[in-house]
Amino acid sequence: MTTIRREVLTLPAAPLGPDNPLPPLRPLDEAHRIDDRDRADLPRDMARQVDYEPLRSLLPVRVRDGYDRERAPRGLDALVIENDRLRATVLPGLGGRIASLHHKPTDRELLYVNPVLQPANFALNGAWFSGGIEWNIGATGHTTLSCSPVHAARVPAPDGGEMLRLWEWERLRDLPFQVDLWLPDGSDFLYVGARIRNPHERPVPTYWWSNIAVPEDRRVLAPADEAWHFGYERRLRRVPVPEYDGVDRTYPLNSTYAADYFYEVPDDRRRWIAALDEDGHGLVQTSTDLLRGRKLFVWGTGPGGRRWQEWLTEPGTGGYCEIQAGLVRTQLEHVKLEAESEVSWLEAYGPLDAAPDGDWPTVLRRAEDRLEAALPRADVDAAYDAWRPYADTEPGERLATGSGWGALEVLRAGWKLPGTPFDEDTLGEEQRSWVHLLRTGSLPEPEHHEPPGGTLVARPWRDMLETTAATPLAEYHLGVAQWHGDDRAQAVRSWERGLKCAADRWPLLRCLAVADQQDGHHERAADRYAEAFDDLCARRTDAAAEGDAGWAAVTAALGREAIGALLAAGRTADARAVWERLDPATRARGRFRLAEGELLAAEGRTEEARAVFDDGFEVADLREGADSIGLLWARLDDAPLPARYDFRMWPDGE
């Protein structure tokens, strides 16, 4: 009999820490953009979807950069769904990630299981971790829900047993979604029913990729003879499969540099992808035809790829690659979800045994025959048809609680979303001010000079902000919403109005400083950053700040931006003044050790800057593809960049 139970998974974990309290006003730092030279050669539907409303801002989501790399044993709430053949371990507090999929008859783990929980800067909003199966919704990249809780409950399954339902509200696109997991009795395959709904009266861009981490010492099979290759040079090229540039790329360890391979699966072929070891054992994922895309991501064997692999786990742990399945050919595309409509599909995950070596057509035919014998294509379609009537079934016992953002949107709009209830009892402190605005038409003033909370930027909330009393706090939030709506001039006017009578000036000054930077007014931006940091320090009394993680986070975030702006304006003395007022614990963090090196270099103290590298530091939130460490090193030393600092994902000179 299939069972669902609670467990606690204990492993070395780094704490997530507080979110960055400053609204992310700068354009999204997104690596998945196509070189204009490649657009003309794209199929028409792909070109249209590449250009369809790519994400340009993280708002209303905040950046998660408060984590470190100090790991200690920590218990993680887990939900285990199990039959006599498979055991799936799900982490509802971390995006509903499937951390493990264990095949009991063969005692084999089908996924790459990370032995640690180490956040790193790979999600759209920062914190992400590697391993398992993750559900990526929203926009190109790892979901903002990577390290966030989702709702979970028991639900009746189509076969009379029970399913595990996961659901949440995706905030970048304002869309609710659900993932239903069940294991029919005696099945070697985990079934996954997924649905995204658009309750709005307008079309909304949407995106989905199921991302599966598997050990990299595999051969990856997918029913395609061509793929779209995308690397860190941002060129998108159609390449042959399996061999490209004289190398069989279906073996992840044959690639030197990190790259994506989006397989061109013919319309009439079954949708599937597998990763098999040298003995022919491994995992296969298949789906109904709607989930069209299949992808392989490799880190490569170059020093940067190897360093990232170590960074995400611990030395001596085997590396991984990713096999993925999505709604369209590539992760560069978004699809239109029409008003008041939905999209749904079914996936299946299980073991596959097939010889991986040999010529490509023969290998694919053998693997496809074994898949058809183990799980016929018709059975997948039938399972989807059987699941659809259960997708609206109201959840039973609640097993985990997600955020209150869905409850807030349902409260505002009165939407009915059968199967995915967003109840008012899930509203929390983050939603408190917005519930007050919704019910009274006004925003409550924060107490004790507390930093302003996050801003809601969707048009209905912006309309409410435009009609509420024009307090400094309301002008601040209104300006953020206007900025998100690309009404930049009006945002600046709102912030300037709020500044005239604000007791706490630093939030508004910081927003104006970012606007100045975006407009190329770097000297004025530096002035405003310096004034904002002075004001923050004046407001941050010893009583309010002592041991307060929120104040420590805002001081660190604003100080980091201020130092960068002042250095860009050549004002090293003012940057030094900001540095000296940061807490010793903040200055000891790797990100700030790097900032100290940049400050020392700007002051002409080259040997002291070089000593920062000798002492050693780790920038916990180093962004994928970032080259700030290498650029500073090049200013200080002609020697090669030390391996511990080498995260470069492309060849030298590119």
Side-chain angles (χ1 to χ4, degrees):
M1 178 178 293
T2 299
T3 61
I4 299 174
R5 67 179 186 275
R6 289 185 171 94
E7 279 192 0
V8 175
L9 178 64
T10 301
L11 72 167
L16 281 173
D19 288 355
N20 189 318
L22 304 180
L25 300 177
R26 293 178 177 82
L28 192 65
D29 178 20
E30 224 310 54
H32 295 85
R33 293 200 177 117
I34 300 176
D35 190 297
D36 287 340
R37 292 172 290 178
D38 298 326
R39 290 179 180 272
D41 297 328
L42 299 182
R44 187 170 301 175
D45 61 332
M46 185 191 295
R48 182 176 62 253
Q49 289 167 166
V50 164
D51 290 331
Y52 178 55
E53 296 194 32
L55 190 69
R56 304 189 187 283
S57 170
L58 273 180
L59 289 166
V61 176
R62 287 184 163 186
V63 173
R64 313 200 76 168
D65 61 2
Y67 51 88
D68 58 31
R69 294 184 58 78
E70 297 297 322
R71 297 192 285 265
R74 173 182 160 201
L76 303 175
D77 290 335
L79 299 171
V80 177
I81 178 169
E82 183 172 16
N83 66 3
D84 60 333
R85 312 287 294 177
L86 281 177
R87 181 173 62 249
T89 303
V90 181
L91 303 178
L94 294 166
R97 180 85 59 101
I98 297 180
S100 167
L101 186 61
H102 186 82
H103 188 236
K104 295 159 72 173
T106 58
D107 195 26
R108 291 195 188 104
E109 174 59 50
L110 301 181
L111 305 174
Y112 166 78
V113 176
N114 196 333
V116 305
L117 175 60
Q118 178 56 64
N121 194 356
F122 282 81
L124 285 163
N125 61 332
W128 173 85
F129 64 103
S130 64
I133 304 172
E134 59 178 310
W135 319 111
N136 286 305
I137 180 175
T140 299
H142 294 286
T143 176
T144 60
L145 295 167
S146 293
C147 293
S148 295
V150 298
H151 302 282
R154 299 179 193 269
V155 184
D159 63 350
E162 55 184 9
M163 295 189 292
L164 173 60
R165 175 163 298 164
L166 311 170
W167 74 98
E168 244 306 343
W169 195 276
E170 200 288 309
R171 300 182 68 206
L172 294 178
R173 303 300 197 182
D174 261 342
L175 298 175
F177 72 98
Q178 72 188 75
V179 175
D180 288 352
L181 311 174
W182 79 101
L183 284 166
D185 284 347
S187 175
D188 279 312
F189 285 83
L190 173 69
Y191 287 171
V192 179
R195 174 168 67 166
I196 307 171
R197 286 190 276 198
N198 176 14
H200 303 281
E201 296 179 348
R202 55 179 172 78
V204 176
T206 193
Y207 171 97
W208 183 280
W209 283 81
S210 300
N211 185 2
I212 309 143
V214 292
E216 64 182 352
D217 57 345
R218 300 289 188 266
R219 191 181 197 189
V220 173
L221 311 181
D225 296 319
E226 292 183 312
W228 295 90
H229 171 271
F230 187 75
Y232 280 81
E233 72 280 8
R234 298 185 178 181
R235 298 300 307 275
L236 185 66
R237 303 183 181 93
R238 194 192 294 258
V239 299
V241 175
E243 188 172 301
Y244 161 53
D245 201 19
V247 177
D248 188 333
R249 306 289 174 170
T250 62
Y251 294 90
L253 290 173
N254 282 354
S255 292
T256 305
Y257 300 106
D260 298 325
Y261 293 92
F262 300 103
Y263 294 111
E264 187 68 71
V265 179
D267 289 341
D268 60 344
R269 294 294 293 272
R270 182 175 183 176
R271 275 39 170 165
W272 63 276
I273 190 167
L276 305 178
D277 65 19
E278 62 181 1
D279 296 321
H281 307 307
L283 172 116
V284 64
Q285 185 271 2
T286 187
S287 71
T288 49
D289 287 351
L290 184 80
L291 204 63
R292 171 181 183 171
R294 292 299 185 273
K295 171 194 165 181
L296 165 65
F297 167 75
V298 298
W299 280 108
T301 57
R306 293 299 94 190
R307 186 71 181 99
W308 276 116
Q309 291 264 31
E310 291 180 354
W311 188 254
L312 293 169
T313 179
E314 56 188 9
T317 303
Y320 75 96
C321 64
E322 295 169 359
I323 57 175
Q324 303 190 22
L327 286 173
V328 285
R329 284 185 181 92
T330 75
Q331 289 172 329
L332 311 170
E333 305 165 69
H334 297 88
V335 295
K336 180 183 292 187
L337 187 55
E338 297 294 346
E340 299 178 333
S341 71
E342 63 181 51
V343 62
S344 62
W345 62 91
L346 185 127
E347 305 179 47
Y349 296 81
L352 183 69
D353 293 314
D357 298 327
D359 69 280
W360 188 240
T362 301
V363 168
L364 290 183
R365 185 174 62 254
R366 283 195 306 243
E368 206 155 31
D369 288 346
R370 296 301 295 269
L371 173 59
E372 185 66 17
L375 182 64
R377 185 177 187 179
D379 286 5
V380 174
D381 293 335
Y384 171 74
D385 292 338
W387 166 71
R388 283 296 292 130
Y390 289 80
D392 286 346
T393 302
E394 290 305 308
E397 179 192 0
R398 303 300 174 90
L399 300 172
T401 302
S403 77
W405 294 115
L408 181 65
E409 292 303 323
V410 169
L411 184 65
R412 178 189 63 78
W415 284 315
K416 304 299 182 184
L417 300 168
T420 55
F422 294 96
D423 299 327
E424 283 194 42
D425 61 8
T426 62
L427 293 167
E429 184 61 27
E430 289 183 299
Q431 293 82 40
R432 182 180 62 83
S433 295
W434 300 98
V435 172
H436 193 278
L437 175 64
L438 186 62
R439 289 176 169 162
T440 70
S442 64
L443 279 172
E445 289 295 317
E447 300 177 358
H448 310 300
H449 302 286
E450 292 177 352
T455 303
L456 295 181
V457 297
R459 189 72 220 195
W461 295 105
R462 176 175 165 178
D463 290 344
M464 281 183 259
L465 290 170
E466 287 175 342
T467 56
T468 191
T471 64
L473 180 64
E475 296 285 15
Y476 163 82
H477 284 301
L478 175 58
V480 174
Q482 290 165 332
W483 185 268
H484 173 266
D486 208 27
D487 194 351
R488 303 295 179 88
Q490 192 59 53
V492 169
R493 284 192 285 271
S494 295
W495 292 327
E496 288 175 340
R497 280 197 306 269
L499 198 59
K500 291 177 181 177
C501 55
D504 298 329
R505 295 168 56 82
W506 67 264
L508 294 152
L509 285 166
R510 183 265 176 178
C511 290
L512 289 167
V514 174
D516 284 333
Q517 285 181 319
Q518 295 300 112
D519 289 338
H521 303 305
H522 298 293
E523 188 62 39
R524 190 165 68 194
D527 287 339
R528 281 177 160 155
Y529 265 120
E531 185 181 353
F533 195 75
D534 287 343
D535 184 71
L536 174 64
C537 291
R539 302 297 171 191
R540 184 188 171 187
T541 64
D542 291 340
E546 186 175 356
D548 189 310
W551 279 105
V554 76
T555 305
L558 185 59
R560 173 176 163 181
E561 289 188 10
I563 290 171
L566 291 163
L567 287 179
R571 292 165 54 172
T572 54
D574 291 334
R576 172 62 64 181
V578 171
W579 170 264
E580 295 295 343
R581 282 181 286 175
L582 295 173
D583 296 332
T586 297
R587 293 201 299 259
R589 290 167 52 188
R591 169 61 64 183
F592 290 87
R593 292 285 287 152
L594 176 60
E596 182 184 19
E598 292 168 339
L599 177 56
L600 289 166
E603 291 171 331
R605 299 158 65 181
T606 303
E607 290 186 6
E608 291 171 80
R610 178 66 171 72
V612 171
F613 282 87
D614 294 338
D615 293 342
F617 63 89
E618 290 186 324
V619 181
D621 63 326
L622 187 69
R623 185 67 176 168
E624 176 188 11
D627 57 358
S628 52
I629 295 177
L631 291 174
L632 177 58
W633 174 266
R635 292 168 57 190
L636 304 174
D637 201 309
D638 293 331
L641 182 65
R644 67 176 297 183
Y645 300 116
D646 190 354
F647 294 88
R648 293 171 296 183
M649 301 297 289
W650 51 85
D652 288 341
E654 292 193 13

